[in-house]
Amino acid sequence: MAKLALIHTTAVTVETLNNLSREKAPDLQIINLVDDSILGELIANEADLSLVEKRVKYYIKTMVEQKADLVMSACSSIGEIFAKENEKYEIPIMRIDSAMAEKAVENAKSIGVAATLATTLRPSTELIKNKGRAVNKELELKTALADQAYQKLMAGDQKAHDQLLAEKLKELAEEVEIVVLAQASMARVIKVLPEKLQAKFLTSPELGIEKALQQLEKS
């Protein structure tokens, strides 16, 4: 039985990713590690990854020692650490948004990047730029930050979060070919958007989990 380790920076993503993983691979064993202090530190310190890097590396090492077959970050804000750590281990150390970025670059030149956290915009945008450079494709990127939506989510008002984010997403969708949602926690908002717009949006949970399962099948 394959074992997938997910490292979260918010409890919001735990149920979504666990359910999605088990829908696609019912026999999959899942380990969840949640540290909800990481995002607070990044928000307070202009997304300085050096402040949390040692801790995140320790979490990855711990999951490897727990015999995980693949370790994945559920948070785009710390994804860069996972990309670097991937070179150090025999098992895949993945970031959840990599597959989403690859699909966006493959299918569009004009790409929007939406986030509710400022700490996520830069790493997500850089990831897409890197994917574009890897295939020698020039991209036009636009970003949108719905930080008030994140504040509502943290206050427990999911309805207000969804409404505020949906409005921002509709505006961005008018300016680009494809919009990527930088955080896994944003994915459920797609269903409240007009049906004719939904195909313009890419989210990381399903694409990321699919890629992880493909990697597990190879191992």
Side-chain angles (χ1 to χ4, degrees), residues 131-152:
K131 297 294 185 183
R133 282 191 284 266
V135 295
N136 296 313
K137 185 173 184 178
E138 291 188 12
L139 303 173
E140 298 172 4
L141 300 182
K142 290 183 177 291
T143 62
L145 178 64
D147 50 356
Q148 291 184 347
Y150 180 77
Q151 294 169 13
K152 293 294 184 181

Side-chain angles (χ1 to χ4, degrees), residues 68-88:
D69 297 298
L70 186 149
V71 182
M72 173 174 276
S73 166
C75 175
S76 300
S77 293
I78 58 173
E80 292 176 356
I81 300 173
F82 283 69
K84 293 177 182 177
E85 289 298 284
N86 185 52
E87 302 172 1
K88 301 179 182 179

